Amino acid sequence: MVRYNAVEDPLCYPGTHVLRNKADIEDQDLLDEFEQLMFDSRAGETLPDGELDFAHYRALHRHFFQDVYDWAGETRTIRTGKGENWFCYPEYIQNEADRLFAALAARGYLAAAADKDAFAQEAAWFLGEINAIHPFREGNGRIQLVFLTMLTRNAGYRLDDRKLRPKPFLEAMILSFSGNLAPLTAEIRRML
Ligand SMILES: Nc1ncnc2c1ncn2[C@@H]1O[C@H](COP(=O)(O)OP(=O)(O)OP(=O)(O)O)[C@@H](O)[C@H]1O
């Protein structure tokens, strides 16, 4: 299955949509398994420290995908999209990320939210924005959740990922792309 709409991608093995990887796995299902295995094993380690800024965000991606991709932690260089939606063009990623993380800092990293409802609303705003930027070629969804967990902890709450409902969450993420944040706010709120 093609999971990304991407223009010709030098990061893939020729004639395939499989990303070149350190284990040289050319079968997508096997690569998915390997990726998740490496991700889970890195999750057990101390995570990179940082300032909840874009450098920190990229360091997290590098940490979790360092075993799989040479470009772990680096931003995308080709145009990608999913379904009907095209993400930020690569030439604008840095500026858009700078803008978003400056806005996050201006909002006190969401730690000033009055209560869980307010936090969920702000977190949905952030997730919708970072998803539209989609800084990486792969691994965006997982790093979004890692970072949301950090923001939640920093605000004094706890994100219970056992309460994540994959299908409604994905649908809510897709709606957030068009500016409808209510379903995503509700999905985050039920995990707090
Ligand atoms: N049609 C869409 N429009 C906008 N965002 C989408 C669409 N489909 C999926 N997404 C979002 O894209 C992100 C997934 O990106 P990516 O595949 O790079 O991450 P991943 O970590 O490799 O995969 P996953 O999140 O599925 O484990 C998720 O946040 C998901 O909600």
Side-chain angles (χ1 to χ4, degrees), residues 4 82 85 131 134 138-142 144 170 173-174:
Y4 267 107
K82 279 182 186 282
N85 300 327
N131 187 54
H134 231 74
E138 163 87 358
N140 292 278
R142 279 166 282 181
Q144 286 164 11
L170 173 61
M173 287 299 297
I174 294 172

Side-chain angles (χ1 to χ4, degrees), residues 3-4 35-36 39 61 65 81-87 127 131-132 134 136-145 169-177:
R3 293 180 303 184
Y4 267 107
E35 215 187 58
Q36 198 56 45
F39 184 94
H61 189 275
F65 292 100
K82 279 182 186 282
E84 307 283 292
N85 300 327
W86 284 91
F87 301 117
L127 273 201
N131 187 54
H134 231 74
F136 310 114
R137 179 62 185 80
E138 163 87 358
N140 292 278
R142 279 166 282 181
I143 299 305
Q144 286 164 11
L145 283 179
F169 198 93
L170 173 61
E171 286 164 1
M173 287 299 297
I174 294 172
L175 288 169
S176 80
F177 193 89

